[in-house]
Amino acid sequence: MTRAPANLLAVRSLLLTYLNVDPNTERSQDLEPAEVGIVGDPDHRGGYHCGSDRVVPNDYSVVESLRDSSGLTLDAAALDVGMFEVRVNGVTHNLFTFSSWCVAQCVADTPDSRDLRSIIYSPDGRTVKRWDRLNRRSTGDDSHLWHTHFSFFRDSIKAGRDQTPLFRRYLTTIGLMEDTMPLTEADMPIIRAALHSTEIGRTGVTFGQVMDLMRGVPGQIATLQSLINTKDFVDEQAIVSGILATLTPQAIAAAIPPTIAKQVADELAARLVA
């Protein structure tokens, strides 16, 4: 029997914790439990909502990628997210802005989005779009006007890989959740670009990545929000300079874990000698 894997159940729980604002009352503004689905209904056959007992011959969710065919188990590999609306610091966020944000992360190929095969969504409640990492499919039915479908490569589900980081980052970005994710080796190029803003773009690090990283530096969230509200995003250099002006050596040091602190110190020492 097709089952809901633990790593997608964790994503479901995370979203409901923060987007079902009033869990004791059903209301249209909240993301309700019935609106976050993993396993297809009993009649559902084929596709990422089905495990190995429900796939069909030449099932696209199996045959179009080695990551899927090698990862096929009884686990479903999809998540549906329904309508919601939350307001944080005067800004309204809903299913449409959430979906567009997630697609933008996939397009940017962020590390925490690379297990996503596709997203079927609506950016505005009027048109349905489909982002497909394999560029094999581009359509979706009208039910995606009111829910967004996330397909995950089956090998990532089989491996039990944590799928919450992308969604935690969204909740942190909009201000619903405090950033507690530690910096890792993957953040090194972004830290370097932030410290030497001329490297943004030239090294493949985007301005958005720098902004996302800086959101976690202690005490800088209010300053970042002020800069975002008052600066023209075309003038990226001015924004980066403004961010760097607020970062004390103590704040930067507090944000860098011991595992990579020596690398940062060595890099800075090398630059000072040069």
Side-chain angles (χ1 to χ4, degrees):
M1 176 179 291
T2 293
R3 61 200 177 197
N7 48 1
L8 292 189
L9 285 171
V11 175
R12 181 179 186 274
S13 177
L14 175 70
L15 293 177
L16 287 173
T17 296
Y18 287 90
L19 298 177
N20 186 11
V21 178
D22 186 357
N24 297 319
T25 304
E26 287 194 14
R27 57 191 193 124
S28 60
Q29 299 96 325
D30 282 1
L31 184 64
E32 305 294 346
E35 295 178 297
V36 191
I38 298 172
V39 176
D41 64 45
D43 295 328
H44 197 113
R45 292 292 182 273
Y48 287 91
H49 283 294
C50 296
S52 56
D53 62 325
R54 294 197 206 170
V55 296
V56 298
N58 294 316
D59 195 315
Y60 86 98
S61 73
V62 178
V63 303
E64 292 183 352
S65 169
L66 181 61
R67 292 192 63 182
D68 288 325
S69 59
S70 65
L72 182 62
T73 67
L74 281 171
D75 289 331
L79 182 76
D80 284 345
V81 180
M83 299 288 281
F84 68 87
E85 182 177 295
V86 292
R87 193 165 178 82
V88 187
N89 297 325
V91 180
T92 299
H93 308 276
N94 55 33
L95 177 66
F96 309 130
T97 58
F98 162 68
S99 303
S100 297
W101 183 92
C102 289
V103 169
Q105 307 313 300
C106 292
V107 171
D109 195 30
T110 59
D112 53 8
S113 68
R114 289 174 183 163
D115 285 335
L116 279 167
R117 152 74 197 269
S118 66
I119 302 177
I120 310 175
Y121 69 106
S122 175
D124 53 15
R126 297 186 298 274
T127 57
V128 174
K129 296 187 175 184
R130 185 179 194 140
W131 173 86
D132 182 1
R133 188 175 299 277
L134 302 180
N135 294 316
R136 297 288 296 268
R137 297 170 180 272
S138 59
T139 60
D141 63 57
D142 285 350
S143 70
H144 298 94
L145 291 173
W146 57 84
H147 86 272
T148 293
H149 170 90
F150 296 87
S151 296
F152 296 81
F153 283 114
R154 292 183 183 273
D155 64 350
S156 69
I157 302 302
K158 181 179 181 180
R161 192 147 55 238
D162 184 9
Q163 299 300 336
T164 60
L166 175 69
F167 302 95
R168 287 181 180 277
R169 189 157 61 85
Y170 168 74
L171 294 169
T172 302
T173 298
I174 68 172
L176 273 181
M177 189 176 182
E178 183 178 350
D179 185 11
T180 58
M181 296 294 284
L183 296 175
T184 67
E185 298 255 356
D187 294 313
M188 283 295 293
I190 307 176
I191 294 171
R192 180 173 175 173
L195 292 172
H196 306 279
S197 56
T198 56
E199 296 193 12
I200 296 176
R202 183 179 65 80
T203 58
V205 173
T206 68
F207 178 67
Q209 287 175 304
V210 172
M211 291 293 286
D212 278 343
L213 179 66
M214 289 301 101
R215 78 184 185 280
V217 177
Q220 306 309 316
I221 294 176
T223 302
L224 287 176
Q225 187 65 54
S226 174
L227 285 166
I228 290 169
N229 290 338
T230 59
K231 295 286 187 179
D232 181 353
F233 273 91
V234 174
D235 190 358
E236 295 180 354
Q237 179 65 50
I239 299 175
V240 172
S241 297
I243 294 171
L244 295 179
T246 70
L247 299 181
T248 66
Q250 292 81 7
I252 295 174
I256 300 175
T259 54
I260 62 172
K262 185 177 185 303
Q263 297 177 53
V264 175
D266 289 346
E267 172 67 22
L268 292 174
R271 286 179 174 272
L272 288 172
V273 172

